[in-house]
Amino acid sequence: SQTVPKPEQGVSKEWKSEEYESSGTDQVFDNFSRRVAHEGRQCLRYELSGVPLPYHSDPIYKRLFPGGSVRGSTKHRYDSSWIPPCPICGGPRAFECQLMPHLISTLRSAASKQTAQSERERKLELERVLRKGVPDQAKAGSEKTGMEWGTCMVFACVNDCRFAEAGSKEEVTDCWREEYVVVQWEG
């Protein structure tokens, strides 16, 4: 008869609470993949003053979600205080939206004027992109596909300021503002 080891055997005490790390998987990426799978064709995720959906564990993730886990949970607290303030009014910036990976395949297929993909083909391509694969049409060329980001998060001024320039009190009705964008690259 063979003895089946208990789950605790072979896992050091400091790794027990983070068993996913000892398995070599990125729990943040797995969470991203699960959430995106609900609506795989989504190109833009909008949640004004919400919380961005991080693509994977990287330095950006560690800055946006610093510190350890919250008591017995794998969730980290969200902190955007390091995002620079608005250069016009000095107000804080908040998460507004993020570009999702499906946008890459949408832009790529529009640029190459391909025929419309079936739903199944789009899901397979999205799965390849999410699993860090290079889409088939890009394999023939170079390794670089031109767009290799996982997600791009946009942070906008919470005051929605419409001042003509920094320090001015003159409001304008039509103006453009440069937002602060944080990119989580693939890989």
Side-chain angles (χ1 to χ4, degrees):
S1 94
Q2 190 175 16
T3 306
V4 177
K6 293 181 181 178
E8 296 87 27
Q9 290 177 336
V11 178
S12 66
K13 288 181 182 179
E14 62 266 7
W15 287 102
K16 274 188 185 178
S17 65
E18 300 183 36
E19 290 181 25
Y20 69 93
E21 289 187 17
S22 63
S23 69
T25 63
D26 182 346
Q27 187 179 28
V28 175
F29 179 74
D30 288 346
N31 182 53
F32 182 89
S33 297
R34 276 192 303 277
R35 290 277 303 272
V36 169
H38 293 289
E39 190 55 56
R41 295 178 62 187
Q42 181 180 18
C43 293
L44 179 77
R45 180 176 172 269
Y46 188 86
E47 188 182 0
L48 184 59
S49 295
V51 177
L53 180 61
Y55 182 70
H56 61 91
S57 294
D58 70 346
I60 297 293
Y61 169 76
K62 290 174 182 152
R63 287 187 80 185
L64 284 171
F65 298 90
S69 299
V70 179
R71 295 184 126 179
S73 169
T74 57
K75 294 184 179 182
H76 292 76
R77 84 184 149 77
Y78 170 63
D79 178 17
S80 63
S81 63
W82 61 275
I83 301 293
C86 173
I88 302 299
C89 73
R93 287 181 165 151
F95 172 74
E96 182 171 4
C97 64
Q98 69 188 103
L99 304 179
M100 303 302 281
H102 182 66
L103 180 61
I104 295 171
S105 62
T106 301
L107 293 174
R108 190 176 291 124
S109 59
S112 64
K113 303 208 186 310
Q114 293 179 340
T115 58
Q117 292 176 318
S118 71
E119 185 64 25
R120 185 175 187 282
E121 289 170 326
R122 285 186 185 273
K123 284 182 180 181
L124 289 172
E125 186 172 348
L126 176 63
E127 198 172 289
R128 279 193 300 270
V129 170
L130 288 175
R131 291 292 173 194
K132 300 180 180 144
V134 177
D136 292 339
Q137 67 261 27
K139 287 181 183 176
S142 67
E143 286 183 14
K144 301 271 183 195
T145 61
M147 290 188 284
E148 296 180 0
W149 45 266
T151 189
C152 301
M153 300 172 240
V154 179
F155 293 82
C157 176
V158 297
N159 298 325
D160 193 25
C161 61
R162 292 181 296 272
F163 298 117
E165 56 188 50
S168 170
K169 295 296 179 197
E170 175 192 348
E171 285 197 26
V172 291
T173 54
D174 294 323
C175 64
W176 293 91
R177 295 289 178 240
E178 186 174 317
E179 306 296 2
Y180 190 78
V181 179
V182 175
V183 178
Q184 280 194 294
W185 298 99
E186 280 199 359

